Amino acid sequence: MTMPLKTVFYTIEKTIKEYRKFSQRNLIKIEKHITVDQALVLNILKEQPGLSQKEIAGLLYKDVAAMTRMIEGMVKKGMLKKLPYPEDKRRSLIQPTDKGEAILEKIIPVVLKNRKLALEGLTEEEVHTLNALLNKILTNLNRNS
Amino acid sequence: MTMPLKTVFYTIEKTIKEYRKFSQRNLIKIEKHITVDQALVLNILKEQPGLSQKEIAGLLYKDVAAMTRMIEGMVKKGMLKKLPYPEDKRRSLIQPTDKGEAILEKIIPVVLKNRKLALEGLTEEEVHTLNALLNKILTNLNRNS
DNA sequence: GTATTTATTATGATATATCAATTATATTTA
DNA sequence: TAAATATAATTGATATATCATAATAAATAC
């Protein structure tokens, strides 16, 4: 087996892990006790209110069980609230609390800056190319599974 | 904040997660109870015998504590053995057992095929470009951290 | 309209990750 | 060489992930 560490998959994994660590470090500077994923949940709920836990899980690429527990944790920490969802009693209406919204406002600029710093020196076309190549791989994976 | 789900970082994360799942599914078909990371450890130790746990952790991009437990698990399952490491008593010499080697031989073709399927339709140049673009991001992350 | 199937969420068991603190050994330095 | 510092690995506490199963509600089939 040629060294797995020299494959492009290793580079992909390394990049996303470094990016997550980088983002996490910068997030914590301005808001202790928040994780990258929690920030994403707050943002998603702000932009698409009324999503189900399953839908949020899908967007964050997580398991629904993991999402149950993550949201539970965020409710405990006062960032989210769960209200009854009239049309479907299996679900809840999940909303950021005032505290959650305040946190989100604080972290948005950090998230934007993180992305900007990480993509420094890449042209729009390069970012587009990167996306396109990754999508080719994704297509292969879906076709073969 | 523009939707995080539309950023290239989301695509990167999605790609590596899908690739891991894809690999895991195919691995399990021929060898129950082995994970992608365990396969990588076996392979690394075969190609670079005598690495320390810390070095292996670095290559797999994991914490040393996680590596301690992972290796512990693989020893319990009979895939690895830990021998005394003469020059430095803090370390152990970690080696695949016969069973571990046999497993590795079985899975190598699967790993190679996984990679091939995932990269189907991409030219060598495209793979090279993908790598280069990711490395640009990695450089940014390192410089800014 | 009841029974069956499907969908959403929650839970239990287990595995893995992360961070801090600890232990044992090596290395440096004064 | 003794003391201080650094390194490799382990452990404990906590968080998160994953898979199977269960509980509840909704949708569909009969």
Side-chain angles (χ1 to χ4, degrees):
Chain A
M1 175 152 60
T2 55
M3 269 308 284
L5 311 184
K6 298 222 176 87
T7 70
V8 70
F9 299 105
Y10 181 69
T11 316
I12 298 174
E13 180 139 21
K14 188 170 176 180
T15 305
I16 200 63
K17 284 191 174 171
E18 288 279 12
Y19 178 67
R20 280 206 160 241
K21 281 189 187 170
F22 174 75
S23 304
Q24 186 67 67
R25 273 196 306 273
N26 291 335
L27 263 190
I28 282 185
K29 280 181 205 159
I30 57 138
E31 184 68 38
K32 273 205 178 104
H33 307 305
I34 194 157
T35 68
V36 170
D37 285 325
Q38 289 171 349
L40 288 173
V41 168
L42 286 175
N43 187 56
I44 285 173
L45 283 172
K46 170 124 196 202
E47 304 213 351
Q48 304 181 60
L51 287 187
S52 70
Q53 294 187 192
K54 193 186 175 186
E55 288 164 331
I56 300 170
L59 292 175
L60 284 202
Y61 224 72
K62 289 188 190 305
D63 189 87
V64 288
M67 193 48 58
T68 293
R69 281 152 178 149
M70 187 177 167
I71 285 173
E72 200 173 71
M74 292 178 74
V75 169
K76 256 188 208 146
K77 287 183 181 162
M79 289 186 259
L80 293 180
K81 58 189 168 189
K82 292 176 84 168
L83 305 173
Y85 190 94
E87 299 103 78
D88 186 338
K89 288 180 187 168
R90 292 169 303 184
R91 302 173 47 169
S92 305
L93 180 59
I94 303 163
Q95 289 185 334
T97 59
D98 288 351
K99 184 180 169 189
E101 297 229 16
I103 291 173
L104 183 58
E105 292 313 313
K106 272 177 78 183
I107 60 187
I108 283 177
V110 179
V111 175
L112 293 177
K113 194 178 170 200
N114 286 343
R115 284 189 208 145
K116 203 176 155 199
L117 286 172
L119 294 178
E120 217 166 41
L122 279 83
T123 64
E124 258 189 53
E125 200 198 330
E126 283 177 320
V127 174
H128 185 262
T129 301
L130 178 51
N131 236 310
L133 291 172
L134 292 169
N135 276 314
K136 269 195 179 185
I137 295 177
L138 279 168
T139 304
N140 286 337
L141 294 173
N142 289 330
R143 185 185 39 246
N144 287 304
S145 66
Chain B
M1 174 152 61
T2 55
M3 268 311 282
L5 311 183
K6 298 224 175 85
T7 73
V8 70
F9 298 105
Y10 181 68
T11 315
I12 299 174
E13 180 139 22
K14 187 170 176 180
T15 305
I16 200 61
K17 284 191 173 169
E18 288 278 12
Y19 178 67
R20 280 205 159 241
K21 281 188 188 170
F22 173 75
S23 304
Q24 186 65 67
R25 271 196 307 271
N26 291 334
L27 264 189
I28 282 185
K29 279 181 205 160
I30 58 138
E31 185 67 38
K32 273 206 176 104
H33 308 304
I34 194 159
T35 67
V36 170
D37 285 324
Q38 289 170 349
L40 289 173
V41 168
L42 286 174
N43 187 57
I44 285 173
L45 284 171
K46 171 123 197 203
E47 304 213 348
Q48 304 181 63
L51 287 188
S52 68
Q53 295 188 189
K54 192 188 175 185
E55 288 164 331
I56 301 170
L59 292 175
L60 286 202
Y61 224 73
K62 288 186 191 304
D63 188 89
V64 287
M67 194 47 58
T68 292
R69 283 155 179 148
M70 187 177 167
I71 286 173
E72 201 174 69
M74 291 178 75
V75 169
K76 255 187 209 149
K77 287 184 183 161
M79 290 185 259
L80 292 180
K81 58 189 167 189
K82 292 175 84 167
L83 306 173
Y85 190 95
E87 300 104 74
D88 187 337
K89 288 180 188 170
R90 292 170 302 183
R91 301 174 48 168
S92 305
L93 180 59
I94 303 163
Q95 289 183 335
T97 59
D98 289 349
K99 183 180 169 188
E101 298 229 15
I103 290 174
L104 183 59
E105 292 312 313
K106 271 178 76 181
I107 60 187
I108 283 177
V110 179
V111 175
L112 293 177
K113 194 177 169 201
N114 286 342
R115 285 188 207 144
K116 203 176 153 200
L117 286 173
L119 294 177
E120 217 167 40
L122 279 83
T123 65
E124 258 190 51
E125 200 199 332
E126 283 177 320
V127 175
H128 185 264
T129 301
L130 178 52
N131 236 309
L133 291 173
L134 292 170
N135 276 314
K136 268 197 181 183
I137 295 176
L138 279 168
T139 305
N140 286 338
L141 294 174
N142 288 330
R143 185 185 41 245
N144 288 302
S145 67

